[in-house]
């Protein structure tokens, strides 16, 4: 099975090319990191993988679990096992966290022809996972991201990941804007729910996160393409002297 | 029938038609309207209304065989079942209910000589044929359900007076059981005395051949509060024009409404709050969801008079547009003559937020379901205060509405 293969991908928005002949292969169980200066197209890549319809795919191919990903819409991709932890999670007042996530999980289970989970068992499951992330049960009664602090929003993204157990998760700057304590909670959360069968793409500016999570590969992205690939030592190089050498 | 014919032919059917004073007033108003020929320019009361509905309807009102009734099924809960604007007479230690008398209208008219430029309110007096008066005694804590029934083809022009005496606490709930092809033009004078707390919930969910035009004028005395919510789920035309005057210090008024429109349905909304005293709070908020070629408007107004320092006044209109051809016109107005005030207004009208949709869909929720989640949350935001029966009712209407998007 091909797990994830991005082949010669070209993407533009409003006529401006943002992803330029992009290639990447990720196997099951691998952790990849992408680093790159602001504006290099990292979030665009993440959104294209998740199925955001604002972008124009000029050419290229993405295979995920032997499916032609570009043929699937946003929710079909999610049900197939793609999860994007957003750089800026949106606040949705009035849509309560618990029933929303319950519906998400059930739509996924249904898609896998598995039995759906009832509200009571789901509430239990959610509380347990929330506890592991130091999310209070009060927060589970609130509306999606509404009035959450930066750290809470990111923790809530991790919570959703842990409940939905996606095979491929993209973290888009999940570490940005967090203080040391919040970063610790989030990285510990990721480590706790990380498992060998699943794959991860971590978009970040900082080595710190990668020290905790230990990627198998690190890529440097500039102007919409990968300009260098290597291991964790690439991250230290960037930490020391920035992106000017790439 | 044209306007003149309606006026002439049915003069005999008016209540109080033998009263000279009223006859003159009616003639005066009639002439004014007739002269202006329902000119829509600068007249908010005519926005989105078809003039023929106002002028050339078929006036019809006659005594009914069915009698209005009153039930007190639970302690302090009064169910008043009106028939064509008539109520039963009733009195106990909490409440007095009766049909209006000529002196009520005369008193109202002599106190309200100023032209409000509201044609619908004017027509209410010209064609007036019914009305009820409710006095709630001091310290009474009660709930009143007004169930309006209008028989087929009736045109009801009704003027209601509600008086809430000092320290009363009342929930007043209104339901409209309109049969077919009815016009219901209802005008309210609501008087809230010191320290009273009044909740006014208006449920509007009737069939498309009916029309409901509401106008309310509420005055709030010292430390009183008035909270009005209209829920418009009707398939027929609804007008909600509601005014409140905060005349006593530390009083509060909230005029809110929501509506679900589809097909070629129309609704017209206006709220106006006048701050005449210090330390008062007001809130005006209408929100709606529109689909197909439906149309809505919302005028909101805050007026703060010179002496009304420490005023807080908020206005908001929110709309979700589900099609390219529906429209929601919103116009907030603020006139402030005091200097120590906190006032704001806002308006967000547009399609369902794309980012919210993307977020929900990226978690595996399909597009339609995601739309429904966002839309229901938009309406449910404000339902905290309702009892289970009414929440169920709103959910039912919402589900019905959402099933067609
Ligand atoms: N919705 C959009 N409309 C217009 N330009 C966009 C949009 N999204 C991204 N861009 C542009 O695409 C480029 C890459 O952005 P992005 O993918 O957010 O970069 P990164 O995440 O690496 O900082 C930037 O120049 C940005 O201005
Ligand atoms: Mg980014």
């Amino acid at each position: 099975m091909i797990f994830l293969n991005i082949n010669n991908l070209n993407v533009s928005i409003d006529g401006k090319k943002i992803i330029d002949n992009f290639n990447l292969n990720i196997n099951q169980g691998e952790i990849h990191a992408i680093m790159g200066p602001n504006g290099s197209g990292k979030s665009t890549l993440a959104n294209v993988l998740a199925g955001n319809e604002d972008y124009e795919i000029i050419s290229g191919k993405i295979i995920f679990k032997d499916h032609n990903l570009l043929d699937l819409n946003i929710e079909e991709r999610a049900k197939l096992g793609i999860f994007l932890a957003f750089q800026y999670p949106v606040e949705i007042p009035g849509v309560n966290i618990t029933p929303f996530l319950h519906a998400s999980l059930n739509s996924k289970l249904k898609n896998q022809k598995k039995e759906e989970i009832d509200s009571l068992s789901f509430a239990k499951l959610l509380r347990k996972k929330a506890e592991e992330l130091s999310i209070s049960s009060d927060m589970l009664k609130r509306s999606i991201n509404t009035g959450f602090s930066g750290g809470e929003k990111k923790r809530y993204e991790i919570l959703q990941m842990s409940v939905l157990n996606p095979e491929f998760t993209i973290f888009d700057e999940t570490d940005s804007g967090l203080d040391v304590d919040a970063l610790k909670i989030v990285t510990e959360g990721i480590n706790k729910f990380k498992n060998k069968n699943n794959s991860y793409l971590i978009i970040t500016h900082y080595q710190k996160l990668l020290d905790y999570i230990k990627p198998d590969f690190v890529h440097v992205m500039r102007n919409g393409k990968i300009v260098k690939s290597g291991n964790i030592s690439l991250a230290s190089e960037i930490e020391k002297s920035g992106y000017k050498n790439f | 029938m044209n306007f003149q014919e309606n006026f002439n032919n049915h003069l005999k059917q008016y209540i109080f038609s033998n009263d000279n004073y009223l006859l003159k007033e009616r003639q005066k108003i009639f002439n004014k309207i007739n002269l202006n020929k329902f000119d829509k320019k600068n007249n908010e009361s005519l926005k989105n209304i078809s003039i023929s509905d106002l002028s050339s309807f078929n006036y019809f009102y006659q005594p009914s065989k069915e009698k209005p009734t009153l039930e007190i099924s639970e302690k302090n809960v009064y169910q008043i079942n009106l028939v064509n604007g008539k109520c039963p007479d009733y009195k106990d230690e909490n409440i007095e209910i009766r049909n209006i008398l000529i002196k009520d209208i005369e008193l109202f008219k002599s106190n309200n000589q100023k032209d409000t430029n509201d044609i619908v309110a004017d027509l209410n007096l010209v064609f007036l044929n019914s009305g009820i008066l409710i006095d709630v005694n001091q310290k009474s804590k009660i709930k009143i359900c007004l169930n309006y029934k209008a028989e087929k083809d009736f045109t009801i022009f009704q003027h209601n007076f509600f008086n809430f005496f000092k320290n009363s606490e009342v929930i007043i709930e209104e339901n409209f059981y309109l049969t077919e092809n009815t016009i219901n033009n209802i005008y309210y004078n609501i008087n809230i005395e010191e320290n009273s707390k009044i909740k006014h919930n208006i449920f509007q969910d009737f069939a498309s051949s009916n029309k409901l035009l509401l106008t309310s004028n509420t005055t709030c005395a010292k430390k009183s509060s008035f909270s009005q919510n209209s829920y418009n789920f009707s398939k027929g035309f609804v007008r909600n024009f509601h005014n409140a005057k905060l005349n006593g210090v530390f009083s509060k008024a909230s005029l809110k409404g929501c509506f679900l429109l589809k097909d070629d349905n129309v609704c017209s909304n206006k709220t106006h709050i006048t701050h005449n005293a210090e330390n008062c709070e007001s809130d005006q908020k209408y929100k709606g969801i529109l689909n197909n070629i439906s149309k809505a408007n919302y005028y909101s107004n805050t007026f703060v008079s010179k002496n009304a320092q420490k005023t807080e006044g908020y206005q908001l209109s929110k709309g979700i547009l589900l099609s390219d051809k529906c429209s929601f016109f919103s116009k907030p107005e603020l006139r402030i003559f005091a200097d120590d005030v906190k006032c704001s207004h806002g308006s967000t009208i547009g399609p369902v937020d794309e980012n919210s949709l993307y977020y929900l869909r990226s978690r595996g929720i399909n597009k339609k379901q995601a739309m429904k989640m966002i839309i229901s949350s938009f309406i449910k935001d404000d339902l905290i205060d309702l009892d289970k029966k009414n929440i169920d009712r709103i959910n039912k209407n919402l589900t019905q509405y959402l099933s067609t998007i």
Side-chain angles (χ1 to χ4, degrees):
Chain A
M1 180 188 77
I2 294 179
F3 185 75
L4 179 72
N5 182 268
I6 305 172
N7 189 3
N8 277 333
L9 185 68
N10 287 283
V11 178
S12 70
I13 188 158
D14 299 334
K16 184 177 143 201
K17 196 161 203 186
I18 294 167
I19 303 290
D20 186 12
N21 253 328
F22 187 94
N23 293 286
L24 182 66
N25 195 66
I26 296 179
N27 295 315
Q28 196 164 6
E30 287 178 355
I31 302 177
H32 290 240
I34 290 188
M35 304 180 80
N38 286 331
S40 54
K42 304 182 298 296
S43 291
T44 302
L45 176 70
N47 282 312
V48 167
L49 287 169
N52 190 309
E53 290 151 355
D54 291 344
Y55 302 93
E56 192 195 341
I57 314 290
I58 305 166
S59 63
K61 212 169 169 178
I62 306 175
I63 305 290
F64 178 65
K65 287 166 63 184
D66 289 340
H67 289 78
N68 201 342
L69 201 64
L70 296 174
D71 290 345
L72 306 179
N73 69 24
I74 305 164
E75 56 267 32
E76 287 166 336
R77 297 183 196 196
K79 285 187 263 193
L80 200 60
I82 289 188
F83 184 94
L84 170 57
F86 285 94
Q87 182 171 2
Y88 304 109
V90 54
E91 302 195 4
I92 314 182
V95 178
N96 188 277
I97 284 176
T98 305
F100 149 65
L101 207 47
H102 185 202
S104 300
L105 181 58
N106 272 342
S107 81
K108 198 165 170 190
L109 291 170
K110 200 170 156 193
N111 194 54
Q112 296 167 342
K113 306 216 157 47
K114 287 186 188 151
E115 201 185 325
E116 296 182 27
I117 180 169
D118 63 79
S119 324
L120 219 64
S121 325
F122 178 76
K124 252 197 210 152
L125 171 85
L126 186 62
R127 263 205 309 276
K128 192 178 133 258
K129 302 254 184 197
E131 237 166 69
E132 294 180 275
L133 280 165
S134 322
I135 293 176
S136 70
S137 52
D138 258 5
M139 196 163 136
L140 302 177
K141 293 190 194 116
R142 286 163 66 180
S143 300
I144 298 172
N145 294 319
T146 309
F148 289 12
S149 70
E152 283 173 332
K153 282 182 183 166
K154 298 295 170 80
R155 244 187 290 169
Y156 177 52
E157 295 289 291
I158 309 296
L159 174 67
Q160 293 179 56
M161 177 195 80
S162 76
V163 167
L164 297 175
N165 189 25
E167 284 152 282
F168 180 53
T169 301
I170 307 154
F171 295 103
D172 190 2
E173 298 203 24
T174 298
D175 51 346
S176 292
L178 299 186
D179 58 38
V180 188
D181 296 334
L183 182 67
K184 192 154 175 261
I185 296 174
V186 166
T187 46
E188 278 173 2
I190 294 176
N191 271 333
K192 204 171 284 172
F193 295 116
K194 193 173 79 181
N195 77 53
K196 287 262 168 300
N197 297 322
N198 296 340
S199 308
Y200 302 87
L201 180 63
I202 300 165
I203 295 169
T204 184
H205 281 295
Y206 308 104
Q207 190 188 349
K208 197 163 205 96
L209 180 71
L210 303 181
D211 286 344
Y212 284 112
I213 300 184
K214 300 193 176 57
D216 304 301
F217 302 93
V218 175
H219 311 278
V220 180
M221 185 165 176
R222 279 207 92 148
N223 300 326
K225 57 169 78 176
I226 288 177
V227 292
K228 185 152 190 185
S229 295
N231 60 18
I232 186 92
S233 63
L234 256 184
S236 338
E237 210 180 315
I238 289 167
E239 191 82 16
K240 242 186 273 143
S241 39
Y243 295 106
K244 62 178 188 295
N245 299 334
F246 298 96
Chain B
M1 256 179 283
N2 71 29
F3 194 47
Q4 184 73 51
E5 283 165 348
N6 265 330
F7 188 66
N8 295 341
N9 293 353
H10 298 282
L11 211 50
K12 292 175 217 76
Q13 291 182 32
Y14 299 152
I15 55 168
F16 322 130
S17 57
N18 49 0
D19 183 72
N20 272 331
Y21 173 75
L22 267 187
L23 189 63
K24 267 199 217 118
E25 287 296 332
R26 284 169 158 167
Q27 188 70 55
K28 223 162 70 189
I29 298 170
F30 174 82
N31 289 341
K32 183 197 82 180
I33 299 174
N34 213 16
L35 208 69
N36 287 339
K37 297 193 166 29
F38 294 93
D39 184 8
K40 284 205 171 197
K41 212 158 93 200
N42 298 325
N43 196 316
E44 294 177 351
S45 72
L46 297 178
K47 176 92 180 170
N48 281 339
I49 287 193
S50 85
I51 299 303
S52 61
D53 286 347
L54 292 183
S55 60
S56 42
F57 59 94
N58 287 318
Y59 182 88
F60 177 71
Y61 192 88
Q62 60 183 39
S64 166
K65 277 186 223 83
E66 196 179 330
K67 290 275 164 285
T69 58
L70 176 99
E71 292 163 51
I72 308 174
S73 47
E74 280 168 70
K75 194 167 183 287
N76 297 335
V77 179
Y78 298 80
Q79 295 269 355
I80 307 172
N81 304 308
L82 307 175
V83 179
N84 304 326
K86 299 275 189 206
C87 71
D89 292 341
Y90 178 82
K91 190 172 178 167
D92 68 14
E93 72 278 10
N94 287 324
I95 194 171
E96 178 176 356
I97 304 163
R98 61 168 171 82
N99 290 290
I100 52 169
L101 302 170
I102 196 154
K103 63 167 198 217
D104 302 318
I105 297 297
E106 279 183 359
L107 187 65
F108 162 76
K109 199 54 219 164
S110 60
N111 288 336
N112 293 275
Q113 281 294 337
K114 216 175 101 200
D115 185 2
T116 56
N117 202 26
D118 183 336
I119 307 281
V120 172
D122 285 344
L123 289 173
N124 182 275
L125 187 65
V126 172
F127 293 101
L128 185 73
N129 52 28
S130 60
I132 66 169
L133 181 141
I134 299 178
D135 283 341
V136 175
N137 294 337
Q138 291 191 21
K139 294 187 187 155
S140 292
K141 285 189 183 161
I142 59 171
K143 179 172 178 181
I144 303 168
C145 297
L146 286 174
N147 304 315
Y148 293 82
K149 179 176 176 182
E151 290 181 284
K152 186 170 182 289
D153 298 329
F154 268 70
T155 54
I156 294 163
F157 291 82
Q158 180 174 357
H159 191 138
N160 296 339
F161 296 89
F162 300 160
N163 297 308
F164 301 101
F165 297 126
K166 283 182 191 170
N167 300 307
S168 54
E169 265 180 50
V170 181
I171 297 176
I172 181 156
E173 178 183 306
E174 303 200 84
N175 301 296
F176 293 89
Y177 301 100
L178 309 180
T179 52
E180 214 186 308
N181 201 32
T182 65
I183 294 175
N184 305 265
N185 180 330
I186 304 175
Y187 190 98
Y188 304 77
N189 278 102
I190 303 173
N191 181 33
I192 305 176
E193 286 195 353
E194 219 174 298
N195 246 330
S196 290
K197 296 189 170 30
I198 311 304
K199 281 189 186 152
H200 187 200
N201 295 323
I202 313 172
F203 296 96
Q204 304 159 336
D205 49 356
F206 49 81
S208 68
S209 62
N210 301 287
K211 294 178 180 67
L212 178 64
L213 304 101
L214 301 187
T215 314
S216 73
N217 280 309
T218 302
T219 54
C220 300
K222 191 164 110 187
K223 291 184 184 162
S224 68
S225 83
F226 180 60
S227 165
Q228 181 190 65
N229 285 288
S230 65
Y231 301 92
N232 172 10
F233 306 135
S234 304
K235 311 221 166 34
F237 175 82
V238 176
R239 147 183 157 125
N240 276 306
F241 273 38
H242 301 290
N243 308 294
K245 285 197 171 88
L246 296 164
N247 289 345
V249 294
F250 293 101
S251 58
K252 292 181 188 173
S254 151
L255 303 175
K256 295 184 178 178
C258 66
F259 54 85
L260 302 177
L261 292 188
K262 62 181 176 185
D263 304 323
D264 60 353
N265 201 6
V266 173
C267 75
S268 176
N269 308 291
K270 177 176 177 172
T271 56
H272 190 299
I273 293 184
T274 309
H275 284 257
N276 285 328
E278 287 187 3
N279 286 299
C280 295
E281 280 173 38
S282 69
D283 219 337
Q284 301 169 64
K285 177 164 154 188
Y286 268 64
K287 52 187 187 181
I289 299 167
L290 299 96
N291 202 354
N292 312 112
I293 54 168
S294 58
K295 263 199 283 197
N297 57 273
Y298 176 43
Y299 299 99
S300 64
N301 301 265
T302 307
F303 181 96
V304 182
S305 61
K306 215 165 70 192
N307 59 323
Q309 301 296 359
K310 306 227 167 359
T311 282
E312 281 187 38
Y314 305 103
Q315 290 164 244
L316 189 61
S317 63
K318 285 169 83 172
I320 294 182
L321 309 178
L322 296 175
S323 87
D324 296 340
K325 296 205 173 73
C326 58
S327 69
F328 183 7
F329 173 80
S330 153
K331 187 177 171 199
E333 233 171 41
L334 256 170
R335 286 199 287 157
I336 303 176
F337 296 96
D339 41 38
D340 183 11
V341 300
K342 256 199 262 176
C343 284
S344 72
H345 63 75
S347 170
T348 47
I349 297 169
V352 171
D353 179 52
E354 281 300 326
N355 290 327
S356 306
L357 261 186
Y358 176 40
Y359 190 88
L360 297 178
R361 293 177 71 194
S362 78
R363 301 323 187 210
I365 310 269
N366 72 43
K367 189 173 178 180
K368 211 164 170 175
Q369 175 105 22
M371 293 270 274
K372 288 180 183 181
M373 280 185 177
I374 294 167
I375 292 171
S376 346
S377 75
F378 180 81
I379 292 294
K380 284 180 183 170
D381 225 15
D382 271 331
L383 301 187
I384 1 163
D385 260 1
L386 290 175
D387 56 26
K388 175 152 183 336
K389 188 192 93 202
N390 285 322
I391 289 181
D392 288 348
R393 178 168 169 190
I394 288 164
N395 278 331
K396 205 181 112 201
N397 277 294
L398 200 54
T399 309
Q400 221 171 52
Y401 181 84
L402 293 174
S403 70
T404 61
I405 67 168

